[in-house]
Amino acid sequence: MHITAHELRTRYLAFFASKGHAVIPSASLVPANDPTVLFTTAGMHPLVPYLLGEPHPAGARLTDVQKCVRTGDIDAIGDATHLTFFEMLGNWSLGDYGRDEAIAWSFEFLVDHLGVPPDRLGVTCFAGDADVPEDTASQRSWRALGVERIARLGRDDNWWGPAGDTGPCGPDTEIFTWIGDEPPRGFEPGDRRWVEIWNNVFMEYERTASGQIVPLPRRSVDTGMGVERTLVALNGLASVYEVDTMQPIIDELRAPGLGERELRIVSDHVRAACAMIADGVLPSNKDRGHVLRRLLRRAMVHARRLPPDWYRRAVTRVAAALGDVYPELARPAIADVIATEVTRFEVALARSLRELERRPVLDGKVAFDLFQTHGIPLEIAREMAEATGARIDEAGFRDELARHRDRSRTQAGTFAGGLADHSVEIVRYHTLTHLLQAALRAVLGDHVLQRGSNLTRDRLRFDFSHGGKLSPGELARVEQLVNGWLARDLVVERATMSPADARGLGAIGAFGEKYGDTVSVYTIRDGDTVISREFCGGPHVAGSRDLAGSFRIVREEPVAAGVRRIKAVLDPVRT
C-alpha cells in the first residue's frame, strides 16, 4: 500500500482528534516562545510555555503537523535520511493522559491505521542511571501490546531535555520499524534497516538550577513522528528524496552533468529557503538571515550547471508539493527574494575572482572569509584558484574554520535562557517586548510588527518591520513611553477567545503565525486604557509592579531589508 504525505497527515490528525485532541495549526518557523533557537526545530518548541504550566487555549490534548528546520546536519544533506526542512507530526498531553495511553495509541495508529505489521516493530526504553530509575513502566506497556523487541538504552539515546540549563525533561521511548526483507528475532537499533519513526517523551522530571533531577508536579507527554522518514519506511523507499513532497522538485531540476547528491542538495536547500522566506526570514549577515543566505548560496554553487531559471521552477514545484497545507509557500515574493540573492552572489563571485587574480597564494584567513561572508565553499574557491593559477592555503583555511566553530560554541552558551527556562528575568523581558512593540507602533506607526525576538536573563532583542533607521529623537520617545508606562500601575490580563474576536478587539500577532480556533490574548491596561493587546502564549508578569527598573535601548540596527532590531535592558532602580 502506497501512502502520500497528505494521507499520512490527514490520518494522523483525524486519529488523535478521535481521541479528544484539538487539532492546532503549524506555528511559524520563527519561534515565538523559545528564543534559545533560531528556528522551530521540533513540534514541541511552539508549546514550551504550555509544557511548563501555562494553560493552552485549546485544552490539555493537542495534535498538529509542524514545519521544522534543522541546520546542524547540513554536511549530511543529500544522504538517504537528512533534510533541512521537514514536517513533524505530534500529539501532546498537558498534564492529562500518561505513558500507557500514549504508547497504546501509538501502537493502534501504526498497526490499525497505517498497516504496519506488529512483528516489524521494535522499541527502545530508558535504562536508568544514578539520577532516575529504569523506565520499566514503558516496557510493561509495550509487552502488554505484544511487542517483545525492547532495547534498554542510556541517557544519550532515551532521555529528552531540558531545552535550556533548567526545565522539564524525562525518559522517552522510540519506535522503530523494520524495512528489510524478513525481520530478525532480535532487535539492534544500530542496524540501519531498523528505522526510527516515532518518539514518545514523558516529561516527568525537572532539572533545577543546582543540577538536580526532581519529579514534576504536573507530568506531560510530547511525541514526534517525522513525516518524510515515516513515508520512507511505509512505502519501501530508498531515501527521503523519493517522498511525494520532494520527488517533484528533484524531477524538475534533474539535468545532465548534475550529480545525484548535488541535485539533492539544491532541491533540499531551495525547499528550506522557500519555507523560511514564506515565514518572513530574509537573507542577511546575521542570525536567521545568515542561515538563509548560506543555504541559498550553497544551492547556487551546486546549481551552476543548471539553466538560469532553475530557482523559479523549483519555487513553483515547492508550492505545488506543499502549498495545500502551507499556503504561504505560494507567495510570489519568494522567487523575487531568491532572484535578488542570486544577483548578490554573482557579484560576490566576481569580487572573489579579482581577489584570486591579484594573489599568487590565498591565505587561510582570506579563503575562510570567502566561505563565511560570501558563501563560497573551499572546493569552489579551489576551482577558481586553479583557473587563475593561484594556490589556496587549505591548512590555514581549516584552522580558521576550527577557530570559528570554537567561537560559535562559546557564543551559543551565552544565549542560554529564553522561555525554556521560565526564569523571573525572562518572563519580565517577555512582557517588556509587548510594551516595546506598543511604543514603537505609537512612535513609528501601525506598520510595525514583531518579526522575531530573543531573550536572555540580561537583555531583550526585538526585531520589527520598519523601513529605515530610527532617529535619536524617535528612540528617545520610545524609551520615554515605556518608562512612563512602567511608572504607572499597569495590569496584565489573559483571556481566551476566537481569532476573529481577538482581531475585533485590536489584538495583533507575530508575522506569519497561524492560529487555531481558540487563542490566548494578553492585554496590558492602564486603568481603562489598553496599552497593548497581543496574541501570545505567555507567560507574563501580573503587572508593572513586577517590572521595577528603567528601560534603556542599548542598540538599534538593521537586520534585513525592511527589518530593524532593538536591543534593550531593564536597569535596576537606584536607591
Side-chain angles (χ1 to χ4, degrees), residues 40-70:
T40 298
T41 62
M44 58 75 60
H45 277 152
L47 298 173
V48 166
Y50 312 110
L51 292 167
L52 289 167
E54 286 287 310
H56 194 285
R61 295 185 180 189
L62 309 173
T63 187
D64 76 355
V65 54
Q66 174 63 48
K67 51 187 177 181
C68 303
V69 161
R70 293 181 187 173

Side-chain angles (χ1 to χ4, degrees), residues 221-285:
V221 174
D222 161 31
T223 87
M225 171 190 275
V227 169
E228 293 85 357
R229 290 190 182 187
T230 301
L231 290 174
V232 168
L234 294 176
N235 294 326
L237 305 177
S239 81
V240 290
Y241 295 91
E242 296 179 9
V243 304
D244 63 295
T245 54
M246 275 299 307
Q247 189 68 57
I249 310 168
I250 294 280
D251 292 342
E252 180 66 40
L253 297 180
R254 193 178 298 280
L258 190 65
E260 186 65 24
R261 190 176 183 91
E262 284 185 309
L263 177 60
R264 290 178 174 184
I265 290 171
V266 174
S267 301
D268 168 90
H269 286 9
V270 75
R271 187 173 89 139
C274 287
M276 293 178 185
I277 296 167
D279 278 353
V281 181
L282 296 174
S284 72
N285 290 327

Side-chain angles (χ1 to χ4, degrees), residues 1 11 15 104-118:
M1 177 188 68
R11 291 185 195 183
F15 174 79
W105 290 338
S106 296
F107 182 85
E108 180 184 349
F109 181 70
L110 288 172
V111 174
D112 296 344
H113 294 262
L114 295 184
V116 177

Side-chain angles (χ1 to χ4, degrees), residues 73-391:
D73 295 323
I74 192 169
D75 291 334
I77 297 300
D79 68 4
T81 60
H82 287 87
L83 293 168
T84 305
F85 170 88
F86 60 96
E87 299 178 84
M88 185 71 75
L89 294 161
N91 57 283
W92 290 270
S93 162
L94 306 177
D96 189 58
Y97 59 83
R99 60 168 36 80
D100 290 343
E101 295 93 336
I103 288 173
W105 290 338
S106 296
F107 182 85
E108 180 184 349
F109 181 70
L110 288 172
V111 174
D112 296 344
H113 294 262
L114 295 184
V116 177
D119 65 354
R120 285 182 173 263
L121 292 177
V123 300
T124 61
C125 296
F126 182 56
D129 58 20
D131 296 318
V132 178
E134 179 180 349
D135 183 8
T136 56
S138 291
Q139 296 176 49
R140 284 196 301 270
S141 293
W142 284 117
R143 288 197 173 96
L145 295 166
V147 177
E148 294 295 336
R149 292 191 189 89
I150 301 174
R152 297 158 56 252
L153 302 178
R155 193 173 286 258
D156 289 344
D157 296 289
N158 280 110
W159 183 270
W160 184 91
D165 294 332
T166 62
C169 52
D172 61 47
T173 179
E174 296 178 344
I175 308 171
F176 294 73
T177 184
W178 178 259
I179 61 171
D181 293 331
E182 191 66 27
R185 293 175 61 87
F187 175 44
E188 175 49 59
D191 188 325
R192 295 176 68 89
R193 290 169 293 181
W194 283 109
V195 177
E196 180 200 343
I197 58 173
W198 208 341
N199 188 17
N200 287 5
V201 180
F202 309 117
M203 294 189 182
E204 302 172 330
Y205 297 91
E206 179 181 17
R207 183 177 180 179
T208 66
S210 64
Q212 288 184 301
I213 303 293
V214 298
L216 274 174
R218 193 191 83 163
R219 301 181 175 190
S220 297
V221 174
D222 161 31
T223 87
M225 171 190 275
V227 169
E228 293 85 357
R229 290 190 182 187
T230 301
L231 290 174
V232 168
L234 294 176
N235 294 326
L237 305 177
S239 81
V240 290
Y241 295 91
E242 296 179 9
V243 304
D244 63 295
T245 54
M246 275 299 307
Q247 189 68 57
I249 310 168
I250 294 280
D251 292 342
E252 180 66 40
L253 297 180
R254 193 178 298 280
L258 190 65
E260 186 65 24
R261 190 176 183 91
E262 284 185 309
L263 177 60
R264 290 178 174 184
I265 290 171
V266 174
S267 301
D268 168 90
H269 286 9
V270 75
R271 187 173 89 139
C274 287
M276 293 178 185
I277 296 167
D279 278 353
V281 181
L282 296 174
S284 72
N285 290 327
K286 295 180 180 179
D287 301 331
R288 298 180 186 94
H290 180 61
V291 174
L292 172 59
R293 173 162 286 167
R294 288 284 305 280
L295 283 174
L296 283 173
R297 293 192 172 187
R298 195 165 187 256
M300 292 171 202
V301 165
H302 290 287
R304 287 174 301 154
R305 298 179 182 87
L306 292 177
D309 68 340
W310 68 269
Y311 61 89
R312 292 192 181 275
R313 292 189 287 116
V315 168
T316 300
R317 287 296 183 184
V318 171
L322 290 164
D324 61 327
V325 63
Y326 309 115
E328 61 271 18
L329 287 169
R331 290 173 179 158
I334 293 175
D336 295 335
V337 170
I338 297 176
T340 300
E341 195 61 19
V342 167
T343 301
R344 287 177 179 271
F345 190 51
E346 289 171 350
V347 172
L349 281 173
R351 185 186 303 120
S352 303
L353 191 59
R354 290 195 298 271
E355 189 76 32
L356 287 164
E357 287 172 342
R358 66 186 184 86
R359 293 171 181 260
V361 177
L362 197 67
D363 65 57
K365 189 173 181 61
V366 175
F368 180 74
D369 182 65
L370 293 179
F371 166 72
Q372 178 65 15
T373 304
H374 303 300
I376 299 172
L378 180 61
E379 59 269 24
I380 302 304
R382 187 189 297 122
E383 286 182 19
M384 295 167 66
E386 290 172 354
T388 60
R391 182 174 62 83

